[in-house]
Amino acid sequence: MEKSKKKEVAVIGQGYIGVPMSVLIAHNTNFIVNGIDKNNIQGNKIKENLEKNLLPFKTKDQELLKKFQKVKKLNKYKIYLNLDPIKRCKIIIVSVGFDFTKKNSIKNLKKLFFDISNKIKKKTLLILETTLPPGTSEKIIIPLLKKNLNKRNISINDIYFAYSYERVTPGSKYYDSIFNNYRVYAGFNTLSSRVCENFLKKIINTKKYPLTKLQNIKDCETCKIFENTYRAVNIALLDEFTKFSIENKIDIKKILTAIRLRKTHNNIMNPGLGVGGYCLTKDPKFLSFSSKYILKSNSKFPIIDRSMSINSKMVNTSISFIKKKIKIFKNKKILQIGISYKEDVDDIRFSPSAELAFKLKKMGAILEIYDTLFTSNDKMSLNFVDELNFKRYDYVLFCVGHKKIKNINLKKLDKKPIYFDLNNIFKKVDYKYFKRKKIKFFELSKPI
Ligand SMILES: NC(=O)c1ccc[n+]([C@@H]2O[C@H](COP(=O)([O-])OP(=O)(O)OC[C@H]3O[C@@H](n4cnc5c(N)ncnc54)[C@H](O)[C@@H]3O)[C@@H](O)[C@H]2O)c1
Protein backbone atom coordinates (compact mmCIF):
# COMPACT_ATOMS: atom_id res chain seq x y z
CA MET A 1 0.00 0.00 0.00
CA GLU A 2 1.34 3.48 -0.90
CA LYS A 3 2.23 5.58 2.10
CA SER A 4 0.24 8.82 2.34
CA LYS A 5 2.57 11.82 2.07
CA LYS A 6 2.82 13.98 5.18
CA LYS A 7 2.07 17.70 4.74
CA GLU A 8 5.06 19.97 5.22
CA VAL A 9 5.62 23.47 6.57
CA ALA A 10 8.68 25.69 6.25
CA VAL A 11 9.74 28.15 8.94
CA ILE A 12 12.35 30.52 7.52
CA GLY A 13 14.55 32.03 10.27
CA GLN A 14 15.52 29.76 13.13
CA GLY A 15 16.11 32.26 15.90
CA TYR A 16 14.29 33.11 19.13
CA ILE A 17 10.97 33.20 17.24
CA GLY A 18 11.35 30.65 14.47
CA VAL A 19 12.48 27.80 16.71
CA PRO A 20 9.60 27.85 19.22
CA MET A 21 7.18 28.41 16.32
CA SER A 22 8.62 25.32 14.57
CA VAL A 23 8.24 23.25 17.74
CA LEU A 24 4.68 24.47 18.23
CA ILE A 25 3.62 23.56 14.68
CA ALA A 26 5.35 20.17 14.76
CA HIS A 27 3.77 19.44 18.12
CA ASN A 28 0.21 20.61 17.46
CA THR A 29 -0.31 19.35 13.90
CA ASN A 30 0.56 16.41 11.70
CA PHE A 31 2.84 18.60 9.62
CA ILE A 32 6.53 17.97 9.21
CA VAL A 33 8.39 21.22 9.91
CA ASN A 34 11.38 22.27 7.83
CA GLY A 35 13.29 24.90 9.78
CA ILE A 36 15.40 27.00 7.41
CA ASP A 37 18.23 29.37 8.23
CA LYS A 38 21.10 31.03 6.36
CA ASN A 39 24.14 29.17 5.19
CA ASN A 40 26.55 31.25 7.26
CA ILE A 41 28.44 30.73 10.54
CA GLN A 42 25.37 31.43 12.68
CA GLY A 43 23.09 29.26 10.54
CA ASN A 44 25.55 26.36 10.60
CA LYS A 45 25.81 26.65 14.39
CA ILE A 46 22.01 26.56 14.70
CA LYS A 47 21.83 23.54 12.40
CA GLU A 48 24.57 21.74 14.28
CA ASN A 49 22.73 22.26 17.58
CA LEU A 50 19.30 21.29 16.30
CA GLU A 51 20.68 18.16 14.68
CA LYS A 52 22.18 17.18 18.02
CA ASN A 53 18.73 17.67 19.55
CA LEU A 54 19.87 20.83 21.32
CA LEU A 55 18.07 24.16 21.19
CA PRO A 56 20.26 26.92 19.73
CA PHE A 57 19.68 29.05 22.86
CA LYS A 58 19.42 28.34 26.58
CA THR A 59 16.02 28.28 28.18
CA LYS A 60 14.58 27.10 31.46
CA ASP A 61 11.12 26.66 29.99
CA GLN A 62 10.44 22.97 30.57
CA GLU A 63 7.42 22.93 28.27
CA LEU A 64 9.46 24.13 25.29
CA LEU A 65 12.31 21.74 26.14
CA LYS A 66 9.99 18.73 26.46
CA LYS A 67 8.01 19.47 23.30
CA PHE A 68 11.21 20.11 21.37
CA GLN A 69 12.58 16.71 22.40
CA LYS A 70 9.31 15.04 21.54
CA VAL A 71 9.04 16.44 18.00
CA LYS A 72 12.71 15.72 17.34
CA LYS A 73 12.25 12.14 18.43
CA LEU A 74 9.28 11.80 16.09
CA ASN A 75 11.44 13.22 13.30
CA LYS A 76 8.92 16.01 12.72
CA TYR A 77 11.38 18.92 12.86
CA LYS A 78 14.23 19.09 10.35
CA ILE A 79 16.71 21.81 9.58
CA TYR A 80 18.08 23.13 6.28
CA LEU A 81 20.33 25.94 5.16
CA ASN A 82 18.68 26.56 1.79
CA LEU A 83 15.18 27.31 0.53
CA ASP A 84 14.70 24.09 -1.44
CA PRO A 85 12.24 22.53 1.06
CA ILE A 86 9.70 25.29 0.37
CA LYS A 87 8.96 23.67 -3.00
CA ARG A 88 7.16 20.87 -1.18
CA CYS A 89 5.53 23.02 1.52
CA LYS A 90 1.94 24.21 1.52
CA ILE A 91 2.66 26.65 4.32
CA ILE A 92 5.67 28.95 4.61
CA ILE A 93 6.29 31.12 7.66
CA VAL A 94 8.88 33.87 7.56
CA SER A 95 10.41 34.58 10.99
CA VAL A 96 13.62 36.38 10.06
CA GLY A 97 14.78 39.52 11.85
CA PHE A 98 14.64 42.98 10.30
CA ASP A 99 16.41 46.12 11.45
CA PHE A 100 16.73 49.05 9.04
CA THR A 101 19.83 50.32 10.86
CA LYS A 102 21.70 47.20 9.74
CA LYS A 103 23.54 47.29 6.41
CA ASN A 104 21.54 46.02 3.41
CA SER A 105 18.43 45.31 5.50
CA ILE A 106 15.91 46.17 2.76
CA LYS A 107 18.08 44.54 0.10
CA ASN A 108 18.26 41.29 2.12
CA LEU A 109 14.52 41.29 2.75
CA LYS A 110 13.85 41.78 -0.97
CA LYS A 111 16.32 39.01 -1.85
CA LEU A 112 14.54 36.61 0.49
CA PHE A 113 11.13 37.27 -1.07
CA PHE A 114 12.64 37.15 -4.54
CA ASP A 115 14.02 33.68 -3.74
CA ILE A 116 10.72 32.57 -2.19
CA SER A 117 8.80 33.74 -5.26
CA ASN A 118 11.06 31.60 -7.44
CA LYS A 119 10.18 28.45 -5.54
CA ILE A 120 6.73 28.84 -3.99
CA LYS A 121 3.96 26.68 -5.45
CA LYS A 122 0.39 27.72 -6.19
CA LYS A 123 -2.07 27.49 -3.28
CA THR A 124 0.65 27.94 -0.71
CA LEU A 125 0.03 30.04 2.39
CA LEU A 126 2.87 32.51 3.02
CA ILE A 127 2.72 34.06 6.50
CA LEU A 128 5.10 36.85 7.39
CA GLU A 129 5.66 37.30 11.15
CA THR A 130 8.72 39.55 11.13
CA THR A 131 8.22 42.96 12.77
CA LEU A 132 8.37 45.51 9.96
CA PRO A 133 7.99 49.25 9.34
CA PRO A 134 4.33 49.82 8.44
CA GLY A 135 3.80 49.64 4.71
CA THR A 136 6.73 47.29 3.98
CA SER A 137 4.48 44.49 2.77
CA GLU A 138 2.25 46.75 0.69
CA LYS A 139 4.96 48.88 -0.88
CA ILE A 140 7.89 46.48 -1.13
CA ILE A 141 7.07 42.81 -0.63
CA ILE A 142 3.75 42.44 -2.47
CA PRO A 143 4.84 44.33 -5.63
CA LEU A 144 8.00 42.20 -5.69
CA LEU A 145 6.03 38.99 -5.28
CA LYS A 146 3.54 40.03 -7.97
CA LYS A 147 6.26 40.89 -10.48
CA ASN A 148 8.33 37.80 -9.91
CA LEU A 149 5.48 35.34 -9.71
CA ASN A 150 4.20 36.72 -13.01
CA LYS A 151 7.43 35.59 -14.63
CA ARG A 152 6.44 32.07 -13.64
CA ASN A 153 2.90 32.61 -14.90
CA ILE A 154 1.59 32.61 -11.38
CA SER A 155 -0.71 35.36 -10.17
CA ILE A 156 -0.38 36.66 -6.60
CA ASN A 157 -3.99 35.53 -6.21
CA ASP A 158 -2.79 31.96 -6.73
CA ILE A 159 -0.97 32.08 -3.38
CA TYR A 160 -2.26 33.18 0.02
CA PHE A 161 -0.24 35.98 1.59
CA ALA A 162 -0.85 37.08 5.17
CA TYR A 163 0.86 38.98 7.96
CA SER A 164 0.63 37.93 11.60
CA TYR A 165 3.27 39.29 13.95
CA GLU A 166 4.68 37.43 16.90
CA ARG A 167 3.99 38.27 20.55
CA VAL A 168 6.08 35.54 22.09
CA THR A 169 7.94 36.40 25.29
CA PRO A 170 11.14 34.43 25.78
CA GLY A 171 11.56 33.46 29.43
CA SER A 172 10.09 30.95 31.82
CA LYS A 173 6.78 30.72 29.89
CA TYR A 174 8.29 30.89 26.44
CA TYR A 175 6.17 28.21 24.71
CA ASP A 176 3.03 29.19 26.56
CA SER A 177 3.39 32.78 25.37
CA ILE A 178 2.91 31.66 21.75
CA PHE A 179 0.24 29.03 22.33
CA ASN A 180 -1.89 30.86 24.88
CA ASN A 181 -1.88 34.34 23.46
CA TYR A 182 -4.14 36.62 21.46
CA ARG A 183 -2.93 36.89 17.91
CA VAL A 184 -3.56 39.52 15.25
CA TYR A 185 -3.51 38.87 11.51
CA ALA A 186 -4.43 40.33 8.14
CA GLY A 187 -4.51 38.84 4.68
CA PHE A 188 -3.59 40.26 1.30
CA ASN A 189 -7.16 39.45 0.24
CA THR A 190 -10.23 37.77 1.76
CA LEU A 191 -9.16 34.30 0.80
CA SER A 192 -5.67 34.77 2.21
CA SER A 193 -7.18 35.97 5.50
CA ARG A 194 -9.40 32.90 5.67
CA VAL A 195 -6.60 30.45 4.90
CA CYS A 196 -4.33 32.14 7.43
CA GLU A 197 -7.08 32.07 10.06
CA ASN A 198 -7.65 28.35 9.50
CA PHE A 199 -3.97 27.62 9.93
CA LEU A 200 -3.60 29.74 13.10
CA LYS A 201 -6.61 27.94 14.55
CA LYS A 202 -4.75 24.67 14.09
CA ILE A 203 -1.64 25.72 15.95
CA ILE A 204 -2.61 28.07 18.78
CA ASN A 205 -5.27 28.17 21.45
CA THR A 206 -7.75 30.33 19.59
CA LYS A 207 -10.69 28.91 21.57
CA LYS A 208 -9.52 30.67 24.68
CA TYR A 209 -7.66 33.47 22.89
CA PRO A 210 -9.72 34.41 19.82
CA LEU A 211 -7.90 35.83 16.83
CA THR A 212 -8.20 39.47 15.81
CA LYS A 213 -8.48 40.10 12.11
CA LEU A 214 -7.39 43.53 10.93
CA GLN A 215 -8.52 45.29 7.77
CA ASN A 216 -5.25 45.11 5.94
CA ILE A 217 -1.58 44.23 6.34
CA LYS A 218 -0.43 47.83 6.87
CA ASP A 219 -2.75 48.10 9.91
CA CYS A 220 -1.39 44.83 11.22
CA GLU A 221 2.24 45.95 10.86
CA THR A 222 1.31 49.20 12.64
CA CYS A 223 -0.42 47.29 15.44
CA LYS A 224 2.83 45.53 16.37
CA ILE A 225 4.82 48.77 16.30
CA PHE A 226 2.19 50.55 18.40
CA GLU A 227 2.15 47.94 21.17
CA ASN A 228 5.92 47.94 21.54
CA THR A 229 6.12 51.73 21.29
CA TYR A 230 3.46 52.07 23.98
CA ARG A 231 5.66 50.08 26.32
CA ALA A 232 8.86 51.90 25.40
CA VAL A 233 7.27 55.32 25.94
CA ASN A 234 5.91 54.25 29.32
CA ILE A 235 9.35 53.08 30.37
CA ALA A 236 10.81 56.49 29.42
CA LEU A 237 8.15 58.23 31.49
CA LEU A 238 8.96 56.04 34.45
CA ASP A 239 12.64 56.82 34.11
CA GLU A 240 11.92 60.54 34.44
CA PHE A 241 10.06 59.97 37.70
CA THR A 242 12.80 57.63 38.93
CA LYS A 243 15.51 60.25 38.35
CA PHE A 244 13.41 62.85 40.15
CA SER A 245 12.82 60.45 43.04
CA ILE A 246 16.51 59.57 43.41
CA GLU A 247 17.48 63.25 43.52
CA ASN A 248 14.76 64.17 45.99
CA LYS A 249 14.65 61.07 48.20
CA ILE A 250 11.14 60.15 47.18
CA ASP A 251 9.81 56.61 47.66
CA ILE A 252 8.69 55.87 44.09
CA LYS A 253 7.86 52.24 44.89
CA LYS A 254 5.24 53.20 47.48
CA ILE A 255 3.89 55.83 45.14
CA LEU A 256 3.51 53.26 42.37
CA THR A 257 1.73 50.86 44.72
CA ALA A 258 -0.74 53.61 45.55
CA ILE A 259 -1.28 54.47 41.89
CA ARG A 260 -1.77 50.82 40.89
CA LEU A 261 -4.89 50.64 43.05
CA ARG A 262 -6.65 52.69 40.40
CA LYS A 263 -8.11 50.25 37.87
CA THR A 264 -7.08 52.50 35.00
CA HIS A 265 -3.44 52.48 36.17
CA ASN A 266 -3.01 48.95 37.51
CA ASN A 267 -0.31 47.86 35.07
CA ILE A 268 2.10 50.71 35.66
CA MET A 269 5.64 49.34 35.74
CA ASN A 270 8.35 49.54 38.37
CA PRO A 271 11.61 51.43 37.85
CA GLY A 272 14.37 49.24 36.49
CA LEU A 273 17.86 49.15 35.11
CA GLY A 274 16.80 49.82 31.55
CA VAL A 275 14.94 48.80 28.48
CA GLY A 276 16.68 46.18 26.42
CA GLY A 277 16.30 43.28 24.07
CA TYR A 278 15.88 43.07 20.37
CA CYS A 279 12.37 44.51 20.05
CA LEU A 280 11.69 47.49 22.34
CA THR A 281 14.97 49.10 21.33
CA LYS A 282 14.29 49.01 17.60
CA ASP A 283 10.56 48.72 16.86
CA PRO A 284 9.47 52.25 17.88
CA LYS A 285 12.03 53.66 15.42
CA PHE A 286 10.31 51.81 12.57
CA LEU A 287 7.54 54.40 12.49
CA SER A 288 9.71 57.33 11.43
CA PHE A 289 11.58 55.08 8.99
CA SER A 290 8.28 54.07 7.46
CA SER A 291 7.06 57.64 7.32
CA LYS A 292 10.22 58.88 5.63
CA TYR A 293 11.07 56.08 3.24
CA ILE A 294 8.12 53.72 2.81
CA LEU A 295 4.79 55.48 3.21
CA LYS A 296 6.37 58.91 2.66
CA SER A 297 3.82 60.60 4.91
CA ASN A 298 6.03 63.27 6.52
CA SER A 299 4.60 62.51 9.97
CA LYS A 300 6.72 63.48 12.96
CA PHE A 301 7.13 61.52 16.20
CA PRO A 302 8.53 63.86 18.90
CA ILE A 303 7.30 61.75 21.85
CA ILE A 304 8.72 58.53 20.44
CA ASP A 305 12.03 60.15 19.46
CA ARG A 306 12.46 61.68 22.91
CA SER A 307 11.49 58.43 24.66
CA MET A 308 13.96 56.40 22.64
CA SER A 309 16.68 58.87 23.48
CA ILE A 310 15.79 58.70 27.22
CA ASN A 311 15.68 54.90 27.11
CA SER A 312 19.07 54.68 25.42
CA LYS A 313 20.64 56.41 28.44
CA MET A 314 18.55 54.77 31.14
CA VAL A 315 21.42 52.79 32.66
CA ASN A 316 22.80 56.15 33.85
CA THR A 317 19.85 56.45 36.24
CA SER A 318 20.99 53.29 38.04
CA ILE A 319 24.58 54.51 38.00
CA SER A 320 23.60 57.78 39.65
CA PHE A 321 21.64 55.74 42.21
CA ILE A 322 24.56 53.48 43.17
CA LYS A 323 26.88 56.50 43.14
CA LYS A 324 25.08 57.67 46.27
CA LYS A 325 27.06 54.90 47.99
CA ILE A 326 29.95 54.11 45.63
CA LYS A 327 31.60 57.48 45.26
CA ILE A 328 34.55 56.18 43.23
CA PHE A 329 34.43 53.03 41.13
CA LYS A 330 38.16 52.69 40.48
CA ASN A 331 39.57 49.51 42.03
CA LYS A 332 36.31 48.66 43.79
CA LYS A 333 35.54 44.96 43.73
CA ILE A 334 32.07 44.65 42.25
CA LEU A 335 29.99 41.57 41.51
CA GLN A 336 27.25 42.08 38.95
CA ILE A 337 24.52 39.47 38.99
CA GLY A 338 22.85 39.05 35.60
CA ILE A 339 23.87 40.26 32.16
CA SER A 340 21.03 39.17 29.84
CA TYR A 341 18.44 41.73 28.77
CA LYS A 342 15.73 40.22 30.96
CA GLU A 343 15.06 37.39 33.38
CA ASP A 344 15.18 33.74 32.31
CA VAL A 345 16.69 34.36 28.86
CA ASP A 346 20.26 34.00 27.61
CA ASP A 347 19.85 36.80 25.06
CA ILE A 348 22.18 39.77 25.62
CA ARG A 349 21.19 41.78 22.55
CA PHE A 350 20.91 45.44 23.63
CA SER A 351 21.05 44.36 27.24
CA PRO A 352 21.13 47.24 29.74
CA SER A 353 22.98 44.98 32.20
CA ALA A 354 25.71 44.39 29.63
CA GLU A 355 25.89 48.15 29.08
CA LEU A 356 26.20 48.69 32.81
CA ALA A 357 29.02 46.14 33.01
CA PHE A 358 31.03 47.87 30.29
CA LYS A 359 30.48 51.27 31.94
CA LEU A 360 31.63 49.99 35.34
CA LYS A 361 34.69 48.46 33.75
CA LYS A 362 35.50 51.69 31.97
CA MET A 363 35.26 53.55 35.28
CA GLY A 364 37.96 51.26 36.69
CA ALA A 365 35.90 48.82 38.76
CA ILE A 366 37.29 45.32 39.30
CA LEU A 367 34.20 43.67 37.95
CA GLU A 368 33.00 40.09 37.92
CA ILE A 369 29.79 38.82 36.37
CA TYR A 370 27.57 35.97 37.48
CA ASP A 371 24.67 34.90 35.26
CA THR A 372 22.84 31.60 35.49
CA LEU A 373 22.01 31.48 31.77
CA PHE A 374 24.56 33.52 29.90
CA THR A 375 27.89 32.22 31.04
CA SER A 376 30.54 33.93 28.90
CA ASN A 377 31.46 35.21 25.51
CA ASP A 378 35.08 35.33 24.44
CA LYS A 379 34.59 38.59 22.62
CA MET A 380 33.19 40.45 25.61
CA SER A 381 36.37 40.91 27.65
CA LEU A 382 34.41 40.61 30.89
CA ASN A 383 35.25 38.28 33.75
CA PHE A 384 32.60 35.70 34.49
CA VAL A 385 32.42 33.64 37.69
CA ASP A 386 30.37 30.51 38.16
CA GLU A 387 30.13 30.60 41.93
CA LEU A 388 28.72 33.11 44.34
CA ASN A 389 31.18 34.08 47.04
CA PHE A 390 29.84 37.39 48.31
CA LYS A 391 32.51 38.21 50.83
CA ARG A 392 35.06 38.73 48.05
CA TYR A 393 33.35 41.95 46.97
CA ASP A 394 32.85 45.54 48.12
CA TYR A 395 29.58 45.85 46.22
CA VAL A 396 27.06 43.46 44.70
CA LEU A 397 24.61 44.62 42.03
CA PHE A 398 21.55 42.46 41.39
CA CYS A 399 20.58 43.29 37.82
CA VAL A 400 18.55 40.41 36.35
CA GLY A 401 15.99 38.35 38.25
CA HIS A 402 16.55 34.90 36.77
CA LYS A 403 14.48 32.33 38.67
CA LYS A 404 17.57 30.90 40.35
CA ILE A 405 18.55 34.36 41.57
CA LYS A 406 15.07 35.14 42.87
CA ASN A 407 15.18 31.88 44.83
CA ILE A 408 18.67 32.41 46.17
CA ASN A 409 19.25 31.29 49.74
CA LEU A 410 19.47 34.61 51.53
CA LYS A 411 21.64 33.06 54.21
CA LYS A 412 24.42 32.98 51.61
CA LEU A 413 24.63 36.79 51.65
CA ASP A 414 27.66 38.02 53.53
CA LYS A 415 27.51 41.19 55.63
CA LYS A 416 30.62 42.66 54.07
CA PRO A 417 29.43 44.04 50.71
CA ILE A 418 26.85 46.70 50.05
CA TYR A 419 24.08 45.26 47.91
CA PHE A 420 21.87 46.95 45.32
CA ASP A 421 18.70 45.65 43.72
CA LEU A 422 18.39 47.48 40.39
CA ASN A 423 15.55 45.49 38.93
CA ASN A 424 12.85 44.66 41.50
CA ILE A 425 14.29 41.26 42.23
CA PHE A 426 13.65 41.00 45.96
CA LYS A 427 10.38 41.10 47.83
CA LYS A 428 9.24 43.12 50.81
CA VAL A 429 9.79 40.15 53.10
CA ASP A 430 13.39 39.81 51.87
CA TYR A 431 14.06 43.42 52.79
CA LYS A 432 12.72 42.74 56.26
CA TYR A 433 15.25 39.91 56.51
CA PHE A 434 18.10 42.15 55.29
CA LYS A 435 17.17 44.73 57.89
CA ARG A 436 17.01 42.14 60.66
CA LYS A 437 20.40 40.71 59.68
CA LYS A 438 21.91 44.17 59.23
CA ILE A 439 22.72 43.49 55.59
CA LYS A 440 23.15 46.76 53.71
CA PHE A 441 20.72 46.44 50.81
CA PHE A 442 19.41 49.28 48.64
CA GLU A 443 16.55 49.16 46.18
CA LEU A 444 16.47 51.42 43.10
CA SER A 445 12.93 52.54 43.85
CA LYS A 446 13.60 53.53 47.47
CA PRO A 447 15.39 56.63 48.75
CA ILE A 448 18.99 56.27 49.96
N1 LIG B 1 12.95 37.92 20.21
C1 LIG B 1 11.74 38.28 20.62
O1 LIG B 1 11.44 38.26 21.81
C2 LIG B 1 10.66 38.71 19.64
C3 LIG B 1 9.32 38.83 20.09
C4 LIG B 1 8.34 39.18 19.18
C5 LIG B 1 8.68 39.44 17.85
N2 LIG B 1 10.00 39.34 17.45
C6 LIG B 1 10.30 39.61 16.05
O2 LIG B 1 10.48 38.37 15.38
C7 LIG B 1 11.45 38.49 14.35
C8 LIG B 1 12.56 37.48 14.57
O3 LIG B 1 13.21 37.78 15.79
P1 LIG B 1 14.25 36.79 16.49
O4 LIG B 1 14.46 37.29 17.87
O5 LIG B 1 13.82 35.40 16.27
O6 LIG B 1 15.55 37.08 15.61
P2 LIG B 1 16.85 36.14 15.56
O7 LIG B 1 17.93 37.03 15.08
O8 LIG B 1 17.00 35.39 16.82
O9 LIG B 1 16.48 35.09 14.42
C9 LIG B 1 16.34 35.38 13.08
C10 LIG B 1 16.96 34.24 12.29
O10 LIG B 1 16.66 34.45 10.92
C11 LIG B 1 17.78 34.04 10.18
N3 LIG B 1 17.70 34.66 8.84
C12 LIG B 1 17.84 35.95 8.52
N4 LIG B 1 17.71 36.11 7.19
C13 LIG B 1 17.47 34.89 6.69
C14 LIG B 1 17.24 34.40 5.37
N5 LIG B 1 17.25 35.21 4.33
N6 LIG B 1 17.01 33.08 5.20
C15 LIG B 1 17.00 32.23 6.25
N7 LIG B 1 17.22 32.64 7.52
C16 LIG B 1 17.44 33.96 7.73
C17 LIG B 1 18.96 34.51 10.98
O11 LIG B 1 20.15 33.84 10.61
C18 LIG B 1 18.49 34.19 12.39
O12 LIG B 1 18.91 32.91 12.82
C19 LIG B 1 11.93 39.95 14.42
O13 LIG B 1 11.22 40.71 13.50
C20 LIG B 1 11.59 40.37 15.82
O14 LIG B 1 11.43 41.76 15.94
C21 LIG B 1 10.98 38.96 18.30
Side-chain angles (χ1 to χ4, degrees), residues 12-18 36-38 40 42-43 46 83 95-98 108 112 129-132 166-170 224 228 278-279 282-283 341 347 349:
I12 305 174
Q14 289 288 293
Y16 286 95
I17 301 307
I36 298 173
D37 211 280
K38 273 187 162 172
N40 57 15
Q42 192 190 337
I46 292 171
L83 291 177
S95 307
V96 302
F98 175 84
N108 291 341
L112 174 62
E129 59 169 7
T130 302
T131 306
L132 291 170
E166 191 50 75
R167 277 175 170 162
V168 64
T169 316
K224 171 69 183 177
N228 275 359
Y278 184 45
C279 297
K282 71 171 169 59
D283 296 356
Y341 86 88
D347 190 355
R349 287 179 290 182

Side-chain angles (χ1 to χ4, degrees), residues 332-337 366 368 385 387-398 408-419 439-440:
K332 294 286 161 42
K333 286 188 183 157
I334 300 182
L335 173 67
Q336 182 179 317
I337 299 187
I366 304 167
E368 292 189 332
V385 290
E387 260 179 27
L388 288 173
N389 185 356
F390 293 110
K391 60 171 172 286
R392 291 181 47 217
Y393 306 97
D394 303 314
Y395 302 96
V396 176
L397 314 177
F398 283 89
I408 200 168
N409 180 357
L410 298 183
K411 285 187 186 141
K412 278 191 173 173
L413 301 186
D414 190 85
K415 273 189 191 160
K416 188 197 151 203
I418 294 181
Y419 298 84
I439 294 171
K440 297 168 276 312

Side-chain angles (χ1 to χ4, degrees), residues 113-288:
F113 280 90
F114 178 83
D115 291 343
I116 292 174
S117 63
N118 283 338
K119 291 185 164 42
I120 192 170
K121 290 247 167 74
K122 284 183 181 179
K123 298 199 184 308
T124 300
L125 168 65
L126 176 58
I127 303 181
L128 175 54
E129 59 169 7
T130 302
T131 306
L132 291 170
T136 307
S137 298
E138 185 188 300
K139 300 285 183 196
I140 297 175
I141 297 172
I142 293 170
L144 186 152
L145 284 174
K146 268 186 187 163
K147 192 172 156 197
N148 221 39
L149 285 170
N150 267 343
K151 289 187 199 154
R152 296 173 57 211
N153 287 325
I154 299 177
S155 152
I156 185 128
N157 295 312
D158 293 332
I159 66 162
Y160 315 113
F161 181 69
Y163 182 81
S164 177
Y165 62 85
E166 191 50 75
R167 277 175 170 162
V168 64
T169 316
S172 58
K173 290 189 178 269
Y174 203 165
Y175 184 92
D176 185 77
S177 71
I178 307 189
F179 183 63
N180 287 312
N181 211 339
Y182 295 101
R183 199 165 175 118
V184 187
Y185 72 102
F188 163 69
N189 51 25
T190 315
L191 193 54
S192 299
S193 294
R194 206 175 314 134
V195 178
C196 175
E197 179 189 339
N198 287 342
F199 176 67
L200 293 174
K201 281 182 172 165
K202 280 196 185 103
I203 60 168
I204 57 177
N205 187 2
T206 53
K207 279 208 178 97
K208 193 157 175 208
Y209 300 90
L211 295 166
T212 306
K213 178 178 147 187
L214 291 185
Q215 195 67 20
N216 57 54
I217 291 180
K218 186 169 61 184
D219 288 14
C220 201
E221 290 163 338
T222 307
C223 193
K224 171 69 183 177
I225 302 303
F226 198 165
E227 56 190 58
N228 275 359
T229 303
Y230 173 77
R231 214 169 148 74
V233 169
N234 271 299
I235 292 171
L237 177 68
L238 209 77
D239 187 54
E240 289 201 341
F241 274 94
T242 308
K243 281 183 198 133
F244 176 74
S245 303
I246 293 171
E247 280 315 303
N248 298 292
K249 294 185 186 295
I250 289 168
D251 188 338
I252 187 86
K253 189 146 198 178
K254 272 220 159 142
I255 291 174
L256 288 164
T257 311
I259 294 175
R260 258 183 224 114
L261 293 176
R262 291 186 61 181
K263 271 190 189 146
T264 48
H265 293 54
N266 64 9
N267 68 350
I268 194 165
M269 286 172 279
N270 274 316
L273 180 58
V275 49
Y278 184 45
C279 297
L280 290 195
T281 48
K282 71 171 169 59
D283 296 356
K285 295 180 191 163
F286 281 15
L287 215 53
S288 54

Side-chain angles (χ1 to χ4, degrees), residues 296-338:
K296 300 187 176 128
S297 64
N298 277 328
S299 309
K300 297 277 176 274
F301 308 94
I303 294 175
I304 301 174
D305 293 345
R306 193 76 195 103
S307 301
M308 294 305 278
S309 157
I310 290 170
N311 288 353
S312 72
K313 300 185 196 89
M314 204 169 146
V315 161
N316 294 339
T317 307
S318 281
I319 293 180
S320 62
F321 177 70
I322 58 180
K323 263 189 172 169
K324 300 258 168 202
K325 287 286 165 191
I326 318 176
K327 302 285 177 220
I328 296 163
F329 289 93
K330 197 165 171 57
N331 294 331
K332 294 286 161 42
K333 286 188 183 157
I334 300 182
L335 173 67
Q336 182 179 317
I337 299 187

